[in-house]
Amino acid sequence: MGSSATLLVLLFVLGNGVAVTMGRFLRTEVEVIEEDLDEELFLMKKSKLVANTSVGKIRVFYDSRVPERRLQTAITTMEPRSLLTPHLVAATQVMYVRSGEAKLGYIYKNNQRLTQMRLREGDVYQIPAGSAFYIANEESDQKLEIISGIEPSQGLRDDVFESFYIAGGANSGLSGFKEEILEASFNVSQEEVTVLINQQKGKFVRLKDSQATGTWSKFLELKEEEKLQQLREMVQQGQENEEVEKEDEESGDDEEEQQQTSLPWRMLFKSVFGEEIKNTREKITEDPPRSYNLNKRKPDFENKYGWRVAVDGSQYHPLKSSGIGIYHEYLSAGSMMAPRVNPMATEYGIVVNGSGRVQVLFPNGSNAMDTNITKGDVFFIPSNFPYCEIAHKGESLELLGFTTSAQRNRPVVLVGARSVVRTMEGPELATSFGVSKEEIKHLVSAQHESVILPTP
């Protein structure tokens, strides 16, 4: 038997052996997936445009077939001078700025602080679940692209997460309330409520059009304390309305319907900004977490065929709370990532540049998927499934991805100069394959490169 054929058999056997040893994958789950076998089994084909305007888009990729903890992947693109209006998301987001520069504003630290910061190309930042935030692209000549790993809420199975937009006029979460309820909540006239709801028509708005975006353009220009003061005033108005309603209730007025309907709006602002009012005079000394620039981090591994860098909670502590890791890898034209298996986490990959091929095996060593991938494709690799990524000979392959573990998580490399088979070289391994010690030594030492390899 030739060396290459023997090595292929070795890979299949090791794939099965690692899965059995780890004991983390249930047989019933394998059977369920095998029934749905096709050549693009682990490509995430389901996606949804949750926002689609001339100035900004958000596309979310999702798949419910992952047998373990699931993530969703979002790609947000924003034109120059645009704003993603303030909203709440019931999911933790780990954002990576692929290109451009973003101005991020969100409520920090248990709803007690409004944080504003600049995120530049390569920056990673985590937005905790339930945080209110907005993103502005204030650049006049550069688009903004953000790739996010999102953990949806527990009850969501086969659909994308939903955002609650605080602003955005007819597209906001407020537009469905009756006018009298909004009048009472804001303590303003019907005419002012009409302007508030009808002025904007989208989740994304332009910053350069003063007539269309005057409210939020002016808001973004305010200093941090001035922004907070405006938000406090909104909540204060809601509290005053609540006190009036209590007095009416005590006097016997029947306003039950209005109280019940306006409650969600009051609860929203109380939960987001209520603590800020209580701590108006309290000096907050703790600074918010800084961003982490993935592009400036030295690769965990690098050779002439490519590189790979991964960040977990030990390098960027906010990731510990989400349990999400992030990685970035590059394969030069014609090179390949050595066959490996991740025993601790499911991996999600997005092709951000180039094209190539990915092959995935079932834990029993049989083929699960072998397909070409190109820019824009999203795929996932369940834990304990051996896999390999290969760049096409005429084009490099660049991937950005997320993992479902924020612990130190290094995939187990199966073949190569630094690998399982190289470390296990000895009479036991030779006996396992039914070959001599000399033959196994030749087979496992023939490859002088490790982790990222040249293709034949």
Side-chain angles (χ1 to χ4, degrees):
M1 182 181 292
S3 297
S4 60
T6 304
L7 194 58
L8 183 60
V9 172
L10 177 63
L11 171 61
F12 281 2
V13 173
L14 278 172
N16 184 38
V18 170
V20 172
T21 302
M22 297 300 176
R24 285 170 48 89
F25 199 90
L26 298 175
R27 184 171 181 271
T28 53
E29 289 172 335
V30 176
E31 290 172 348
V32 169
I33 295 180
E34 283 183 327
E35 290 176 0
D36 191 32
L37 178 61
D38 61 58
E39 62 179 7
E40 298 181 341
L41 179 60
F42 298 121
L43 288 185
M44 297 182 72
K45 295 182 179 180
K46 290 185 178 182
S47 67
K48 183 177 180 180
L49 273 171
V50 297
N52 184 17
T53 71
S54 60
V55 294
K57 296 180 181 180
I58 303 176
R59 180 176 289 277
V60 179
F61 296 83
Y62 61 102
D63 200 310
S64 64
R65 296 173 299 164
V66 184
E68 300 173 276
R69 180 177 161 211
R70 294 180 299 114
L71 297 182
Q72 296 180 356
T73 302
I75 300 177
T76 302
T77 55
M78 296 175 61
E79 296 295 321
R81 302 293 298 163
S82 62
L83 169 72
L84 175 59
T85 58
H87 60 287
L88 290 165
V89 179
T92 297
Q93 294 193 51
V94 177
M95 303 189 304
Y96 170 80
V97 181
R98 170 64 183 163
S99 61
E101 184 173 317
K103 181 177 182 179
L104 170 68
Y106 80 107
I107 305 298
Y108 169 70
K109 201 62 177 178
N110 297 324
N111 308 326
Q112 294 183 19
R113 184 169 182 176
L114 177 65
T115 297
Q116 294 184 94
M117 63 181 64
R118 293 283 178 181
L119 298 180
R120 295 173 173 81
E121 185 174 311
D123 278 351
V124 176
Y125 204 78
Q126 177 178 292
I127 302 292
S131 299
F133 71 98
Y134 60 83
I135 298 174
N137 179 12
E138 297 181 323
E139 301 298 311
S140 59
D141 58 355
Q142 189 173 16
K143 290 184 178 181
L144 172 64
E145 182 180 41
I146 296 175
I147 300 175
S148 301
I150 303 168
E151 183 170 24
S153 59
Q154 292 285 336
L156 202 59
R157 290 303 304 165
D158 195 27
D159 204 352
V160 300
F161 68 94
E162 293 293 337
S163 299
F164 179 95
Y165 283 83
I166 300 172
N171 294 104
S172 78
L174 304 178
S175 59
F177 285 116
K178 295 185 180 300
E179 288 185 353
E180 62 268 22
I181 294 172
L182 293 179
E183 289 175 38
S185 298
F186 281 100
N187 194 25
V188 296
S189 68
Q190 180 179 349
E191 291 73 16
E192 290 172 303
V193 166
T194 301
V195 171
L196 183 70
I197 295 300
N198 296 327
Q199 188 172 0
Q200 295 289 15
K201 296 296 182 183
K203 299 172 181 177
F204 288 94
V205 295
R206 290 189 181 276
L207 289 177
K208 65 182 181 180
D209 185 349
S210 60
Q211 182 177 0
T213 63
T215 301
W216 285 106
S217 293
K218 293 176 182 178
F219 180 80
L220 290 175
E221 292 171 1
L222 295 175
K223 295 180 180 179
E224 179 175 336
E225 184 58 33
E226 293 173 333
K227 286 191 180 78
L228 284 171
Q229 185 57 38
Q230 283 200 6
L231 296 175
R232 291 189 196 107
E233 291 174 359
M234 290 182 187
V235 183
Q236 186 64 43
Q237 290 168 1
Q239 288 182 330
E240 291 173 356
N241 292 339
E242 184 177 8
E243 291 174 1
V244 171
E245 289 176 359
K246 286 182 179 179
E247 291 176 0
D248 291 341
E249 183 179 0
E250 292 173 358
S251 64
D253 293 341
D254 186 8
E255 302 252 344
E256 182 179 356
E257 181 180 354
Q258 178 171 331
Q259 290 174 14
Q260 290 179 348
T261 313
S262 61
L263 182 61
W265 174 235
R266 296 203 307 272
M267 290 179 62
L268 168 68
F269 271 93
K270 278 187 176 181
S271 64
V272 177
F273 309 121
E275 288 300 318
E276 179 59 37
I277 295 175
K278 296 178 183 178
N279 296 278
T280 301
R281 297 183 179 180
E282 179 182 340
K283 182 175 177 59
I284 300 175
T285 58
E286 183 181 358
D287 291 329
R290 295 183 178 182
S291 60
Y292 186 100
N293 195 282
L294 190 65
N295 293 2
K296 294 180 180 180
R297 176 177 165 82
K298 184 179 179 181
D300 300 302
F301 179 86
E302 184 176 17
N303 62 15
K304 62 182 178 180
Y305 304 109
W307 49 261
R308 178 181 168 95
V309 59
V311 173
D312 54 45
S314 64
Q315 291 103 14
Y316 185 47
H317 72 87
L319 295 179
K320 290 182 179 180
S321 62
S322 66
I324 298 174
I326 184 170
Y327 70 89
H328 192 188
E329 67 181 51
Y330 171 84
L331 304 177
S332 62
S335 64
M336 62 180 283
M337 189 67 69
R340 61 196 192 279
V341 64
N342 193 330
M344 293 180 61
T346 296
E347 288 195 7
Y348 293 78
I350 304 99
V351 182
V352 294
N353 264 324
S355 63
R357 172 184 160 204
V358 60
Q359 181 176 12
V360 186
L361 305 183
F362 286 114
N364 62 16
S366 61
N367 183 60
M369 182 181 79
D370 187 357
T371 189
N372 292 322
I373 51 176
T374 188
K375 185 175 181 179
D377 284 343
V378 181
F379 61 93
F380 66 94
I381 313 292
S383 65
N384 285 331
F385 280 57
Y387 66 106
C388 176
E389 297 143 346
I390 307 168
H392 284 156
K393 288 187 180 271
E395 193 172 12
S396 61
L397 177 63
E398 183 181 358
L399 301 172
L400 188 282
F402 303 91
T403 66
T404 58
S405 173
Q407 299 179 2
R408 286 190 176 273
N409 177 45
R410 299 291 183 266
V412 177
V413 180
L414 301 176
V415 181
R418 289 190 293 176
S419 64
V420 170
V421 295
R422 189 66 169 264
T423 304
M424 284 187 174
E425 177 192 341
E428 292 81 9
L429 189 64
T431 302
S432 298
F433 283 101
V435 297
S436 67
K437 291 186 294 183
E438 291 74 18
E439 287 176 306
I440 198 67
K441 183 175 182 179
H442 167 71
L443 284 170
V444 301
S445 62
Q447 178 58 264
H448 300 291
E449 300 291 342
S450 59
V451 185
I452 303 177
L453 316 174
T455 55

